[in-house]
Amino acid sequence: MILYELDAINEQYFSPYTWRILMALNHKELYEKVERIQVKFSDKSPISHKGFNTVPVLEDNKNWVGESLQIAKYLDETYPDKPSLFSSKENMHLTSLINLYMDPKILSILARIIVFDVYKVIQPDDKIYFRATREKMLNKTLEEVEQESKKFIPIFQKEINPFRKLLKNNDFFTGDKPTYCDYLLFGFFMWARNSSKKQLLEKDDVLWHWRDRMLNLFDGFARKSNGYKIV
Ligand SMILES: N[C@@H](CCC(=O)N[C@@H](CS)C(=O)NCC(=O)O)C(=O)O
């Protein structure tokens, strides 16, 4: 099984969507079978010959699957004897809805906080492409975005409020065990952790404690990855 992800300096792999799948592969007890291959923003030839333009992409027994949510569904359908990522069909549909709702909003707020930090950890060859595409996306230079980045931290904190409510009686979003719903938001936190030193959560936040539990999962898999320690 091969997982294609984005390259980074110092192995600070940050792609939020790939992080969802890294957690999902651990959850499915399949991570040991996976070879990780890094793709450059400026050279996507390892995946583009199969029609893909974004990572993650999973190659498994001649099956090529793109889009993180599709990969998660594929893993659950293909390996039903392993722990389920969604626990039921109903949960899968609800999680898909949450995914589609949250991605554009949270991505755009968080990008305004960390995009300049991400720029610093991408490979030198990728900088021209990254600057051009992200400045177009954000309609500002990366330096201008960085200047007002701190202003977006409280906005980000407010945007994820619904998730706090889910933790009122549970350790994870859908109960006492993590499911793909947890990996959705956690992927964004790993994007930040592995590229940026900015503090996104306060220590008295239930989400701070949830993120800590997530970092501990699978023998500290995410915590062991190269990034900036969350203190
Ligand atoms: N909806 C896709 C989004 C994937 C995505 O945007 N991946 C980014 C990396 S985090 C990417 O590959 N970007 C390539 C580019 O910007 O050229 C998913 O869930 O997999």
Side-chain angles (χ1 to χ4, degrees):
M1 210 183 263
I2 299 177
L3 180 67
Y4 296 90
E5 64 183 338
L6 275 177
D7 206 357
I9 59 162
N10 189 33
E11 298 184 358
Q12 287 178 239
Y13 304 128
F14 55 80
S15 158
Y17 307 108
T18 306
W19 265 102
R20 291 174 179 174
I21 299 307
L22 288 169
M23 297 302 281
L25 286 163
N26 274 283
H27 183 114
K28 298 291 292 178
E29 299 167 354
L30 292 167
Y31 183 72
E32 299 308 320
K33 295 190 193 323
V34 175
E35 181 191 354
R36 292 168 66 170
I37 293 188
Q38 287 77 41
V39 174
K40 293 231 170 79
F41 278 107
S42 54
D43 177 13
K44 299 201 186 107
S45 52
I47 55 169
S48 58
H49 71 101
K50 288 284 177 184
F52 298 104
N53 189 39
T54 59
V55 298
V57 170
L58 185 78
E59 182 186 350
D60 179 35
N61 291 327
K62 303 216 167 92
N63 295 316
W64 285 71
V65 194
E67 285 288 321
S68 50
L69 182 61
Q70 298 315 318
I71 299 174
K73 289 179 181 171
Y74 167 87
L75 289 172
D76 249 11
E77 277 158 21
T78 315
Y79 300 97
D81 50 327
K82 301 286 190 185
S84 169
L85 286 165
F86 299 100
S87 73
S88 68
K89 256 221 143 47
E90 291 76 14
N91 250 343
M92 188 186 85
H93 291 308
L94 283 175
T95 306
S96 305
L97 187 70
I98 294 170
N99 187 340
L100 298 172
Y101 256 110
M102 75 186 270
D103 273 4
K105 197 73 195 274
I106 294 187
L107 180 86
S108 112
I109 298 171
L110 204 45
R112 285 172 168 77
I113 302 171
I114 63 167
V115 74
F116 195 64
D117 301 317
V118 176
Y119 179 70
K120 289 188 199 149
V121 301
I122 59 174
Q123 290 292 355
D125 299 0
D126 283 348
K127 294 210 189 252
I128 292 174
Y129 171 92
F130 187 86
R131 180 180 279 279
T133 51
R134 271 51 186 178
E135 290 188 345
K136 190 168 174 212
M137 214 179 272
L138 297 164
N139 208 17
K140 284 194 164 80
T141 66
L142 295 185
E143 288 73 11
E144 284 166 347
V145 177
E146 173 64 7
Q147 261 188 3
E148 46 179 46
S149 62
K150 299 250 158 73
K151 201 171 85 184
F152 285 91
I153 294 179
I155 297 172
F156 169 72
Q157 289 176 342
K158 193 163 167 222
E159 189 62 33
I160 54 179
N161 222 7
F163 289 100
R164 286 188 184 89
K165 300 205 172 23
L166 295 177
L167 294 175
K168 213 159 178 197
N169 301 310
N170 292 314
D171 274 356
F172 298 99
F173 296 147
T174 59
D176 59 359
K177 289 196 179 76
T179 59
Y180 194 69
C181 192
D182 295 273
Y183 307 143
L184 288 181
L185 186 64
F186 186 65
F188 283 123
F189 278 108
M190 288 307 291
W191 184 28
R193 178 196 183 269
N194 288 5
S195 65
S196 172
K197 292 181 189 159
K198 295 192 184 92
Q199 184 178 342
L200 297 179
L201 298 172
E202 303 301 324
K203 267 194 179 172
D204 59 359
D205 189 333
V206 286
L207 281 171
W208 194 96
H209 295 281
W210 164 84
R211 183 183 57 185
D212 208 48
R213 286 192 286 279
M214 297 297 290
L215 285 163
N216 288 342
L217 290 177
F218 316 123
D219 198 22
F221 175 79
R223 200 186 287 285
K224 285 180 199 157
S225 68
N226 287 1
Y228 299 103
K229 279 205 178 65
I230 293 161
V231 284

